Amino acid sequence: MAKITKFRKNSAAIREGEWIKPGEEYDDLEILTRGFTDEYLDAQAQKLRRAAASWHGQDRIPVKIKRDINTELLLRYVILDVRNLQHGDGTAVTLEQFKQMLLDPDYDELLLACYRAASQVGRAPGRSGGGGGKLKAALRSSLEWGRFGGLLADLEPEERPEAPEIPDWLIWIWRARHRLTDERQYIVEGISAGMGGTLIRSRPAAIPWTAVRRWAEVHGYGPDRAEMLDQCIQAMDGEYLAWSAERAKL
């Protein structure tokens, strides 16, 4: 039974800001951030219209210009403070220093952390945009049974394993994930095998969030759509990595 609290967001936090940990990969970093407010979205739409006029169409605006626009507006309307971030000498990074870093391509990972933090403001923990569960189930079924496609076709319909259907409104995420899976890296590990021997094997890493962000930028997704893509791909990728770990034990 669905609970109404699942669909509620904290509008006050989105307007005024809250401290957010963007993810485990950022250690203890916390960012005081608003969500993507109406002011941010209105300013973004205005700047993109102007850029589109200069480039004769929004689909012709270079990715760098779109990124610069979004970063400028992120600093102006969204990011409020930062804590638990230090320089190499142990001194704390100030807000002004942090904002300067976000303009530097060498600190692209920090910029990604800000986008992730802003997308989490005012939302219930664990919320994945409503489609993560359906996509995870479909992916697990595909991983388990996809390689037997030819054999399954010879079975009677009632003998085939039930395959979860992907709703039409989630197809775009399903397709994006299958394109982006080629962006993942593989981690090479050495395992002691006795008698001085070593077994070398590789395991998949997660799809980089940078790849998801580039996909969203190229397709012109707004913050909400980009967040949904990110959350659903994280859910699907977690399912894939779990399945891959299970297969490695066989």
Side-chain angles (χ1 to χ4, degrees):
M1 183 68 69
K3 293 185 178 180
I4 193 65
T5 52
K6 178 180 179 181
F7 307 102
R8 184 177 182 273
K9 64 181 180 181
N10 186 340
S11 298
I14 292 175
R15 292 191 307 271
E16 300 167 11
E18 66 177 333
W19 286 102
I20 296 289
K21 287 186 175 183
E24 293 181 358
E25 62 268 43
Y26 298 101
D27 297 325
D28 293 330
L29 173 64
E30 292 185 69
I31 301 170
L32 180 60
T33 174
R34 297 187 180 99
F36 296 109
T37 61
D38 290 343
E39 290 79 10
Y40 171 92
L41 296 174
D42 287 342
Q44 181 190 55
Q46 184 181 57
K47 283 185 172 290
L48 287 176
R49 282 196 298 269
R50 290 175 179 171
S54 299
W55 289 92
H56 308 291
Q58 187 162 327
D59 58 335
R60 296 185 177 182
I61 303 173
V63 170
K64 182 182 184 304
I65 291 180
K66 289 182 180 180
R67 182 184 298 116
D68 289 346
I69 288 173
N70 289 331
T71 302
E72 174 193 344
L73 298 178
L74 190 79
L75 297 179
R76 184 186 303 175
Y77 293 103
V78 180
I79 302 303
L80 301 174
D81 206 348
V82 63
R83 65 188 181 193
N84 300 337
L85 183 64
Q86 298 179 340
H87 293 287
D89 61 5
T91 58
V93 173
T94 67
L95 176 60
E96 289 308 313
Q97 290 171 338
F98 184 65
K99 287 186 174 182
Q100 286 301 312
M101 290 175 183
L102 297 181
L103 297 171
D104 185 341
D106 289 347
Y107 291 99
D108 194 50
E109 286 296 323
L110 286 180
L111 183 62
L112 301 182
C114 291
Y115 280 110
R116 297 189 80 170
S119 71
Q120 296 172 33
V121 174
R123 298 183 180 273
R127 184 173 169 185
S128 62
K134 296 180 179 67
L135 291 167
K136 284 172 60 177
L139 180 61
R140 172 65 72 158
S141 176
S142 175
L143 292 171
E144 295 287 356
W145 300 105
R147 62 188 185 279
F148 301 117
L151 296 175
L152 295 177
D154 295 333
L155 298 177
E156 296 297 326
E158 62 273 11
E159 296 175 331
R160 299 172 191 167
E162 184 176 353
E165 292 188 7
I166 304 172
D168 290 344
W169 61 280
L170 291 175
I171 289 294
W172 65 282
I173 296 177
W174 178 264
R175 291 173 176 167
R177 184 265 168 192
H178 282 279
R179 289 289 299 274
L180 291 172
T181 194
D182 292 336
E183 298 287 330
R184 76 172 75 250
Q185 302 293 316
Y186 283 80
I187 301 169
V188 178
E189 300 176 319
I191 303 173
S192 177
M195 301 294 291
T198 302
L199 296 177
I200 303 298
R201 70 178 185 184
S202 64
R203 61 179 176 85
I207 294 173
W209 196 80
T210 49
V212 180
R213 177 192 168 196
R214 285 196 302 270
W215 181 275
E217 288 179 341
V218 167
H219 289 81
Y221 297 158
D224 286 343
R225 192 171 178 86
E227 180 207 353
M228 182 176 180
L229 176 67
D230 178 42
Q231 295 292 330
C232 288
I233 285 184
Q234 283 189 68
M236 296 172 72
D237 219 29
E239 191 70 19
Y240 172 75
L241 295 176
W243 175 83
S244 181
E246 292 166 10
R247 295 283 300 171
K249 295 177 182 178
L250 298 179

